[in-house]
Amino acid sequence: MNLWIKNGHLLDPANQRDEICDLYIKDGKVARIGSLSSDTDVKECEKNGEVIDATGKYVMPGFLDLHVHLREPGFEYKETIESGTRAAAKGGFTGVCPMPNTKPPTDCPERVKKVLEIASRDSRIHVYPVGAVTIGQMGEEVADIEGMVKAGAKAISEDGKSVMNARIYHRAMEEAARLGIPVMAHCEDKNMVGKGAMNAGEKARELGIEGITNAVEDVIVARDILLAKETKARLHLCHCSTKDSVDMIQYAKENGVDVSGEVCPHHFSLTQDDIPGDDANYKMNPPLRASTDVERLCRGLSDGTMEAISTDHAPHSEEEKNQSIAKAPFGIVGSETAYALTVTNLVKKGYLTPMQLVERMSTNPHRILGVPGGNLSVGMPADITIADMDTSYTIDKHTFVSKGKNTPFHGMKVYGRVFYTLVAGEIVYQYEE
């Protein structure tokens, strides 16, 4: 499909483009950029109706979500690759990285191939599988990392838990370093967390729920940074939630460790004080933290210490979430709200410029994962997000295309709407009133 995107405000950090111009897509790739109204091919597009008028909207390289749970195989009642990737496309994401904690886990080449097989049939966006660190995610024996990479895995992670045996994790990091893939770390000391279900603080005491201290995350962040330093692995720290995590990442970067960190929109949008009561839609892991942590996360995203915004999209059934915080599973959905929450809570509040938003949601994630994309250079696949930052509306979970409706943001007024998502020049999502 050939397509003319006209009058859009192009934001492309990789090429330092921040201007209103046209973009012409030919055979699924970016063909020309500039003032194209007199171009012969563009006129042909206009004649055939293959035109998007992006006046008043930003045209950006497609977003990449480094951290999602698509639940398939094994938990299809929560989400499928089909429903989860449709939700991602609605949120402006042209690619996602599904974590391996499915049933069975993605812990061998055959299961990586299975994810890709389902995705090739059911997904219109890119799916980049993440393989497990250990067999069965049991933490006892390193998985066939090389085999998974050859099968198409782009990273390894034990997400949902930490590999508590440092010797085994050290071996896995060495293998990841040898293969040139990132290690995506869920940082949680399972010996410290106990029965914790929300942040340790006044709100937890008020609700009579066991708390999770910052140290549960921080001690594993420190350990993993030290292991990455020794093994020369590329370490990516998932869903960081504490001020000390940001400080340690900053220190590690300053001392030459190859480490990056992501922040989820719920962690920079809400604090523990926003939890209205015993509502499990506010239960996620790591939990909502104190306002001092949130401020440090926002400043870390602003100054570039924290390089990526990811969702940790974690759908559950209504029945599972309709329990006490103490009993319900951890996790909320995020694919369809991430962009608006980032605009509302970071751009509108001055922590990020629009260009920095693109860096955190597209340019940097593609670089961290080591996959093509994150820029709109001529010749690149036309993976594109078209959105504005001024449309205001109220989040309505009943409009979600994800199977999961478990969100604390239902009823919240936000700014910023995704209007189109394109993959290889094909429209995979278009907003309709």
Side-chain angles (χ1 to χ4, degrees):
M1 178 178 178
N2 297 347
L3 180 67
W4 175 26
I5 302 173
K6 65 178 184 179
N7 301 325
H9 188 151
L10 186 64
L11 290 178
D12 183 3
N15 292 302
Q16 298 183 332
R17 282 186 176 272
D18 183 356
E19 60 183 310
I20 295 173
C21 62
D22 298 349
L23 187 148
Y24 177 61
I25 298 166
K26 183 176 183 179
D27 299 328
K29 296 183 178 181
V30 178
R32 289 191 282 287
I33 299 170
S35 179
L36 303 175
S37 58
S38 61
D39 189 286
T40 303
D41 290 329
V42 163
K43 287 183 176 180
E44 187 66 24
C45 280
E46 191 166 36
K47 178 181 176 182
N48 296 328
E50 296 170 347
V51 178
I52 293 176
D53 186 349
T55 301
K57 301 175 181 64
Y58 290 103
V59 177
M60 303 168 280
F63 304 151
L64 171 60
D65 193 344
L66 292 172
H67 192 159
V68 300
H69 299 271
L70 298 183
R71 303 302 193 198
E72 187 178 8
F75 302 102
E76 287 86 352
Y77 71 95
K78 298 175 188 271
E79 191 81 284
T80 63
I81 290 173
E82 188 274 335
S83 63
T85 55
R86 279 199 300 120
K90 183 180 175 185
F93 293 99
T94 56
V96 294
C97 297
M99 291 294 123
N101 57 338
T102 48
K103 186 178 181 180
T106 310
D107 64 350
C108 62
E110 292 72 27
R111 291 175 186 160
V112 171
K113 291 176 183 176
K114 184 64 176 179
V115 169
L116 288 170
E117 177 188 328
I118 297 170
S120 68
R121 180 189 71 217
D122 294 346
S123 175
R124 298 185 69 192
I125 68 172
H126 304 292
V127 174
Y128 300 112
V130 177
V133 178
T134 67
I135 295 174
Q137 292 195 297
M138 299 300 292
E140 297 172 356
E141 185 178 352
V142 176
D144 179 7
I145 298 172
E146 182 172 9
M148 289 190 290
V149 170
K150 288 180 178 178
K154 299 300 182 183
I156 56 170
S157 179
E158 204 82 338
D159 191 63
K161 61 179 78 174
S162 293
V163 178
M164 292 306 297
N165 187 317
R167 186 166 70 92
I168 289 173
Y169 206 28
H170 188 280
R171 284 184 196 162
M173 282 196 178
E174 286 182 319
E175 183 71 349
R178 182 180 72 82
L179 295 167
I181 60 166
V183 178
M184 296 181 166
H186 172 115
C187 295
E188 177 187 26
D189 189 321
K190 70 178 182 181
N191 299 311
M192 292 182 66
V193 72
K195 295 181 180 179
M198 60 184 295
N199 189 55
E202 185 58 41
K203 181 64 73 167
R205 289 189 290 273
E206 175 188 317
L207 296 175
I209 294 172
E210 189 170 333
I212 300 171
T213 67
N214 284 26
V216 168
E217 177 176 322
D218 295 340
V219 294
I220 302 298
V221 168
R223 182 202 72 170
D224 288 3
I225 286 173
L226 291 172
L227 290 175
K229 179 181 180 181
E230 186 162 293
T231 61
K232 307 300 182 187
R234 289 164 49 205
L235 177 65
H236 178 72
L237 297 174
C238 297
H239 49 45
C240 296
S241 72
T242 72
K243 58 183 184 294
D244 286 328
S245 287
V246 182
D247 289 341
M248 284 187 279
I249 290 171
Q250 183 177 46
Y251 178 82
K253 285 174 176 284
E254 291 170 351
N255 285 272
V257 182
D258 192 352
V259 59
S260 58
E262 71 186 27
V263 184
C264 301
H266 45 273
H267 286 132
F268 62 66
S269 299
L270 298 171
T271 75
Q272 62 182 358
D273 298 326
D274 293 308
I275 301 173
D278 193 1
D279 183 348
N281 286 310
Y282 290 80
K283 181 179 182 180
M284 64 284 292
N285 190 16
L288 299 176
R289 300 291 190 182
S291 58
T292 51
D293 295 299
V294 174
E295 174 60 25
R296 185 68 183 98
L297 293 171
C298 291
R299 288 192 289 109
L301 284 165
S302 179
D303 65 24
T305 301
M306 309 304 288
E307 297 180 52
I309 293 170
S310 305
T311 68
D312 194 10
H313 175 78
H316 294 290
S317 70
E318 185 176 357
E319 182 180 12
E320 288 171 320
K321 275 297 192 176
N322 193 25
Q323 304 182 76
S324 166
I325 289 175
K327 295 182 178 181
F330 289 101
I332 65 169
V333 291
S335 295
E336 295 168 71
T337 56
Y339 174 73
L341 291 171
T342 302
V343 171
T344 303
N345 294 300
L346 296 180
V347 176
K348 295 295 186 182
K349 293 181 181 179
Y351 289 105
L352 294 182
T353 65
M355 185 75 94
Q356 287 174 319
L357 177 148
V358 180
E359 287 178 335
R360 310 302 185 260
M361 296 190 74
S362 181
T363 312
N364 292 346
H366 282 90
R367 174 180 51 77
I368 290 166
L369 193 63
V371 295
N375 69 83
L376 295 177
S377 303
V378 171
M380 287 294 293
D383 296 347
I384 295 171
T385 304
I386 301 175
D388 76 356
M389 298 191 188
D390 293 318
T391 297
S392 65
Y393 59 96
T394 300
I395 292 173
D396 181 355
K397 66 181 182 181
H398 302 296
T399 66
F400 290 174
V401 297
S402 169
K403 286 188 175 185
K405 315 301 179 188
N406 46 307
T407 177
F409 299 111
H410 177 66
M412 176 178 286
K413 181 180 178 180
V414 291
Y415 294 89
R417 187 184 294 284
V418 175
F419 288 90
Y420 293 90
T421 306
L422 286 74
V423 174
E426 296 289 333
I427 297 172
V428 298
Y429 170 76
Q430 180 176 349
Y431 171 71
E432 296 180 1
E433 292 283 356

